[in-house]
Amino acid sequence: MGERFEPKILMFACNWCAYAAADLAGTSRMKYPPNIRIIRVMCSGRVDPQLVLEAFANGADGVIIAGCRPGDCHYIEGNYKALRRAILLRKLLEQLGVESERFRLEWIAASDAKKLIEVAQDMVEKIRKLGPLKVVREVGKIE
């Protein structure tokens, strides 16, 4: 009997919204899967697509970019920039053979710890069904 696959998922979380939601979840003693590793960024619009590609190349099975809801960005339009980048990045990932379910852009308000947990649980379940990312292992690291 084999071991159950436990995906490694990286979340780039906006300091003002999604990271605050993760902090709220922690202080409220709400639990989310340990498969999620959170990197705090000042704005979802600051996440360079290269960082997402490097995450996949270095073993992440899934990546989430979590930012403020449209209209709530502290930098006015950073989340719109993240949205434009995510659309292009999704197309690039598909061309590289990475399933679209492995990459997500989510809007999570600072007060919405419940949504953050739901997104984390849903992502973990979807990636478990997909299994480990095979493209990188077959092709090698992206440079």
Side-chain angles (χ1 to χ4, degrees):
M1 189 168 170
E3 288 185 32
R4 182 177 167 174
F5 167 63
E6 289 298 333
K8 293 180 234 164
I9 298 170
L10 190 65
M11 176 186 280
F12 294 99
C14 163
N15 178 61
W16 306 102
C17 292
Y19 191 82
D23 193 37
L24 177 62
T27 56
S28 302
R29 298 183 185 257
M30 300 167 81
K31 293 184 179 181
Y32 60 89
N35 310 64
I36 305 286
R37 298 290 186 266
I38 297 177
I39 296 176
R40 180 170 44 177
V41 295
M42 289 310 290
C43 178
S44 59
R46 298 294 307 265
V47 179
D48 191 300
Q50 182 68 33
L51 294 173
V52 175
L53 295 174
E54 285 182 25
F56 282 120
N58 287 302
D61 297 300
V63 176
I64 302 170
I65 297 175
C68 302
R69 292 182 298 190
D72 290 344
C73 180
H74 279 63
Y75 303 101
I76 313 297
E77 56 186 30
N79 48 9
Y80 293 113
K81 185 176 183 180
L83 177 60
R84 289 190 299 268
R85 285 180 167 178
I87 291 168
L88 295 173
L89 186 56
R90 190 176 312 279
K91 289 180 182 177
L92 176 62
L93 290 170
E94 286 174 8
Q95 289 182 350
L96 293 172
V98 177
E99 299 94 341
S100 62
E101 295 88 354
R102 294 184 185 275
F103 173 69
R104 250 167 122 154
L105 175 65
E106 291 286 341
W107 310 130
I108 302 173
S111 61
D112 209 352
K114 184 179 175 189
K115 181 175 180 183
L116 181 119
I117 291 169
E118 289 171 356
V119 165
Q121 290 172 336
D122 183 58
M123 185 77 165
V124 168
E125 287 307 312
K126 284 182 178 170
I127 301 296
R128 270 192 192 130
K129 288 178 186 168
L130 289 172
L133 181 61
K134 296 177 182 129
V135 172
V136 173
R137 290 183 183 94
E138 292 172 2
V139 176
K141 288 191 171 190
I142 299 171
E143 293 186 22

